[in-house]
Amino acid sequence: MASLFDIAGKTALVTGGVNGLGRMIADGLLRAGVKVYVTSRKAAEADKAQREMSQIGQCVALVADLASAEAAVALANELKAREPALHILVNNAGRTWGAPLESFPDKAWPQVLTINVQVPFTLVRELLPLLRAAGASGDPARVINIGSVAAIAVEPLSAYSYAASKAGIHQLTRVMAADLAHENITVNVIAPGFFPTKMMAHINNVDEEREKLLSRIPLKRLGTPDDVAGLCIFLSSRAGSYFTGAELVIDGGLANCR
Ligand SMILES: NC(=O)c1ccc[n+]([C@@H]2O[C@H](COP(=O)([O-])OP(=O)(O)OC[C@H]3O[C@@H](n4cnc5c(N)ncnc54)[C@H](OP(=O)(O)O)[C@@H]3O)[C@@H](O)[C@H]2O)c1
């Protein structure tokens, strides 16, 4: 039975994997014996993370500012120069923008949509040769997109371009899954609820806001590193090989149990 969940020996790329949700996922994959590439915009943070994460397993931190499709192409080229195959691509790097509707700026649209939707698409397109090389019948290559409950439920975040971008990556997941199924490449989207990262510090670090949020979550807690790492390990294993085009909601019941 253990071999059903065994992913040791695979190679993964987790964008934005040096901190936040990406770090939770990357650390979990490393613990499961995967060679993990992570990215950060900042060289110092990438170096520090590589040192720390190499204590767990084989980890390479690359510097990439994924604010443009060109940067995604460059990152893919770097991967292609280093690896013959990529078993797991986790499109995690992302950003949000919150402001009242009346003053929500136009510039918050292209910036958020580029990193949250276009860059994941470009990375898949450019990494297709490596994904094809890794995919096998019964154990396909996995693309795991990080979406959000904000794509499926209305959260009081005033994050208009973010919610639209996450709905976009959810639908893009289904479209790409249909295109790539015959190539032994699966594409799924994880929709996290609330995990304590920098992105949600404005809620988590304010007692009153945190209590309000917890009162709305049926399981009465935030997500943990094990929650999201466990789901990614499962999806990357043979046990998860029959999922494609799926939306996996991991939110303590926030979106669906109310
Ligand atoms: N936390 C939650 O509750 C939650 C809920 C739903 C969905 N999510 C999703 O989870 C993903 C990670 O978010 P998080 O919560 O971990 O937030 P975070 O702590 O703010 O982390 C954002 C990550 O994205 C990377 N990033 C941002 N802009 C980038 C850019 N231009 N180029 C390259 N990397 C960039 C950051 O890397 P560097 O700063 O190191 O460059 C960082 O690793 C996002 O897609 C987010 O939408 C999070």
Side-chain angles (χ1 to χ4, degrees):
M1 183 53 81
S3 77
L4 193 52
F5 298 94
D6 184 9
I7 57 171
K10 293 191 174 191
T11 300
L13 167 63
V14 182
T15 62
V18 312
N19 50 38
L21 201 80
R23 177 68 175 263
M24 299 177 196
I25 295 167
D27 280 351
L29 293 175
L30 283 169
R31 288 201 172 85
V34 173
K35 176 177 181 181
V36 182
Y37 287 85
V38 290
T39 70
S40 173
R41 284 165 292 182
K42 304 147 205 148
E45 288 206 14
D47 286 349
K48 180 169 172 281
Q50 181 170 308
R51 277 195 306 279
E52 291 168 0
M53 297 168 83
S54 296
Q55 306 289 316
I56 312 176
Q58 210 179 344
C59 179
V60 181
L62 303 172
V63 177
D65 182 347
L66 298 172
S68 68
E70 291 75 18
V73 173
L75 173 61
N77 285 341
E78 194 159 352
L79 248 286
K80 284 190 253 189
R82 290 166 176 261
E83 295 292 337
L86 183 69
H87 303 88
I88 305 158
L89 166 62
V90 183
N91 279 312
N92 163 79
R95 63 168 303 177
T96 188
W97 198 307
L101 196 148
E102 295 80 359
S103 56
F104 197 82
D106 286 327
K107 67 181 176 192
W109 283 91
Q111 293 188 19
V112 170
L113 285 165
T114 299
I115 183 162
N116 291 5
V117 188
Q118 187 180 5
V119 160
F121 171 83
T122 304
L123 280 175
V124 172
R125 185 190 69 204
E126 295 299 312
L127 289 168
L128 273 177
L130 298 196
L131 294 166
R132 285 182 180 126
S137 170
D139 195 9
R142 315 303 208 276
V143 176
I144 300 174
N145 292 322
I146 304 300
S148 173
V149 286
I152 52 184
V154 176
E155 281 300 311
L157 297 168
S158 295
Y160 302 98
S161 55
Y162 178 79
S165 75
K166 291 298 178 180
I169 193 72
H170 283 224
Q171 180 63 3
L172 184 60
T173 296
R174 292 184 271 266
V175 172
M176 291 181 119
D179 279 357
L180 295 173
H182 72 285
E183 302 214 53
N184 290 324
I185 300 170
T186 63
V187 189
N188 294 293
V189 63
I190 290 179
F194 287 88
F195 286 70
T197 66
K198 204 164 69 191
M199 191 178 279
M200 63 156 302
H202 62 293
I203 298 172
N204 196 36
N205 297 351
V206 180
D207 287 347
E208 194 185 321
E209 293 299 321
R210 186 184 156 92
E211 288 315 310
K212 232 182 336 182
L213 170 62
L214 288 175
S215 74
R216 295 197 298 119
I217 300 174
L219 290 182
K220 300 290 173 236
R221 66 171 177 84
L222 302 180
T224 66
D226 279 354
D227 290 328
V228 70
L231 180 52
C232 287
I233 291 167
F234 162 70
L235 269 182
S236 304
S237 72
R238 269 196 312 116
S241 62
Y242 201 45
F243 286 84
T244 199
E247 183 179 79
L248 294 108
V249 182
I250 180 164
D251 68 347
L254 182 65
N256 292 321
C257 298
R258 286 186 292 145

